[in-house]
Amino acid sequence: ADMTEYRGAVADAISAADAATPAGSRRPNRNDAARAKFDSEGIRAILKDVQKLYRGEEKVYITGFSSSTHIAYMFLFAHPELLKGAIINSGVYLGRGVDEAHIPFLNSPERATLAIKFIVGENDRGCKRYLESWEETKAKLIRYGHPAAKIQMEVIKQGNPEHLSAGHNWFPTRIFDF
């Protein structure tokens, strides 16, 4: 709230939604549309700043872990023109910030060249739910023009040679390798 960069109608809508959220509750009454708009506009502004100030690349990789996969999914569905790839690490697609009736760049080169990877640990408490969601989401991605050959999935098994935890963790080595 003290940062003037984050003021205006979108930030006010988020603050109002948060004020209406019952104490101790994470979801009820929260304005997900305002939050998604804030996230989308903010991340696109950051990308422009990095391109302008630091000669950043036009297209980037995005990743999300757990609840931050909502943002990665939003960009994967709504802004594929900005991405080289997306890595979804232990999360579900809930459609946050995505208007599935108006998906941009259907069956376009922007989608056809985009690499996608889904990662989850087999001992993650949400593994089954994440995998079920991923199968449904993968089918949508393919319908919208992402080639199946550019989509990967990895389940981190217990006892893997790298000694990675097979629980609810982010997997930076797998993300950077991708």
Coordinates of all heavy atoms in Angstrom, one line a residue, residues 1-12 14 38 41-43 45-46 49:
A1 N 0.8 -1.2 0.0 CA 0.0 0.0 0.0 C 0.9 1.3 0.0 O 0.4 2.3 -0.5 CB -0.9 0.0 1.2
D2 N 2.1 1.2 0.6 CA 2.9 2.4 0.6 C 3.6 2.6 -0.7 O 4.2 3.7 -0.9 CB 4.0 2.2 1.7 CG 3.4 2.1 3.1 OD1 2.3 2.7 3.3 OD2 4.0 1.5 3.9
M3 N 3.6 1.7 -1.7 CA 4.3 1.9 -2.9 C 3.3 2.6 -3.9 O 2.3 2.0 -4.3 CB 4.7 0.5 -3.5 CG 5.8 -0.1 -2.6 SD 6.3 -1.7 -3.1 CE 7.2 -1.3 -4.6
T4 N 3.7 3.8 -4.4 CA 2.9 4.5 -5.3 C 2.7 3.8 -6.6 O 1.8 4.1 -7.3 CB 3.4 6.0 -5.5 OG1 4.8 5.9 -6.0 CG2 3.4 6.7 -4.2
E5 N 3.7 3.0 -7.0 CA 3.6 2.3 -8.3 C 2.4 1.3 -8.3 O 1.9 1.0 -9.4 CB 4.8 1.4 -8.5 CG 6.1 2.2 -8.6 CD 6.8 2.4 -7.3 OE1 6.2 2.2 -6.2 OE2 8.0 2.8 -7.3
Y6 N 1.9 1.0 -7.1 CA 0.8 0.0 -7.1 C -0.5 0.7 -6.6 O -1.2 0.1 -5.7 CB 1.1 -1.2 -6.2 CG 2.3 -1.9 -6.8 CD1 3.6 -1.9 -6.1 CD2 2.3 -2.6 -8.0 CE1 4.7 -2.5 -6.7 CE2 3.4 -3.2 -8.5 CZ 4.6 -3.2 -7.9 OH 5.6 -3.9 -8.4
R7 N -0.8 1.8 -7.1 CA -2.1 2.4 -6.8 C -2.9 2.6 -8.0 O -2.5 2.4 -9.1 CB -1.8 3.8 -6.2 CG -1.0 3.7 -4.9 CD -1.1 4.9 -4.1 NE -0.3 4.6 -2.9 CZ 0.0 5.5 -2.0 NH1 -0.5 6.7 -2.1 NH2 0.7 5.1 -0.9
G8 N -4.2 2.8 -7.8 CA -5.1 3.0 -8.9 C -6.3 2.0 -8.8 O -6.4 1.3 -7.8
A9 N -7.1 2.0 -9.8 CA -8.3 1.2 -9.8 C -8.1 -0.3 -9.5 O -8.9 -0.9 -8.7 CB -9.1 1.4 -11.1
V10 N -7.2 -0.9 -10.2 CA -7.0 -2.3 -10.0 C -6.5 -2.6 -8.6 O -7.0 -3.5 -7.9 CB -5.9 -2.9 -11.0 CG1 -5.6 -4.3 -10.8 CG2 -6.5 -2.7 -12.4
A11 N -5.5 -1.9 -8.1 CA -5.0 -2.1 -6.7 C -6.2 -1.8 -5.7 O -6.3 -2.5 -4.7 CB -3.8 -1.2 -6.5
D12 N -7.0 -0.8 -6.0 CA -8.1 -0.4 -5.1 C -9.1 -1.6 -5.1 O -9.6 -1.9 -4.0 CB -8.8 0.8 -5.5 CG -7.9 2.1 -5.3 OD1 -6.9 2.0 -4.6 OD2 -8.3 3.1 -5.9
I14 N -8.4 -4.8 -5.6 CA -7.8 -5.9 -4.8 C -7.9 -5.6 -3.3 O -8.3 -6.5 -2.5 CB -6.4 -6.1 -5.3 CG1 -6.4 -6.7 -6.7 CG2 -5.7 -7.0 -4.3 CD1 -5.0 -6.7 -7.3
F38 N -4.5 -7.4 -12.3 CA -3.4 -6.7 -11.7 C -2.1 -7.5 -12.0 O -1.1 -6.9 -12.4 CB -3.6 -6.7 -10.2 CG -2.4 -6.1 -9.4 CD1 -2.3 -4.7 -9.3 CD2 -1.5 -6.9 -8.8 CE1 -1.3 -4.1 -8.6 CE2 -0.4 -6.3 -8.1 CZ -0.3 -4.9 -8.0
E41 N -1.3 -7.2 -16.0 CA -0.8 -5.9 -16.4 C 0.6 -5.7 -15.8 O 1.4 -5.1 -16.4 CB -1.8 -4.8 -15.9 CG -3.1 -4.8 -16.8 CD -4.1 -3.8 -16.3 OE1 -3.8 -3.1 -15.3 OE2 -5.2 -3.7 -16.9
G42 N 0.7 -6.1 -14.5 CA 2.0 -5.8 -13.8 C 3.2 -6.6 -14.5 O 4.2 -6.1 -14.7
I43 N 2.9 -7.9 -14.7 CA 4.0 -8.7 -15.3 C 4.3 -8.2 -16.7 O 5.5 -8.1 -17.1 CB 3.6 -10.2 -15.3 CG1 3.6 -10.7 -13.8 CG2 4.6 -11.0 -16.1 CD1 3.0 -12.0 -13.6
A45 N 4.1 -5.2 -17.8 CA 4.8 -3.9 -17.6 C 6.3 -4.2 -17.2 O 7.2 -3.6 -17.7 CB 4.1 -3.0 -16.6
I46 N 6.5 -5.2 -16.4 CA 7.8 -5.6 -16.0 C 8.6 -6.1 -17.2 O 9.8 -5.7 -17.4 CB 7.8 -6.6 -14.8 CG1 7.3 -6.0 -13.5 CG2 9.2 -7.3 -14.6 CD1 6.9 -7.0 -12.5
D49 N 9.7 -3.2 -19.2 CA 10.8 -2.4 -18.6 C 12.1 -3.2 -18.7 O 13.1 -2.6 -19.0 CB 10.5 -2.3 -17.1 CG 9.4 -1.2 -16.8 OD1 9.1 -0.4 -17.7 OD2 9.0 -1.1 -15.6

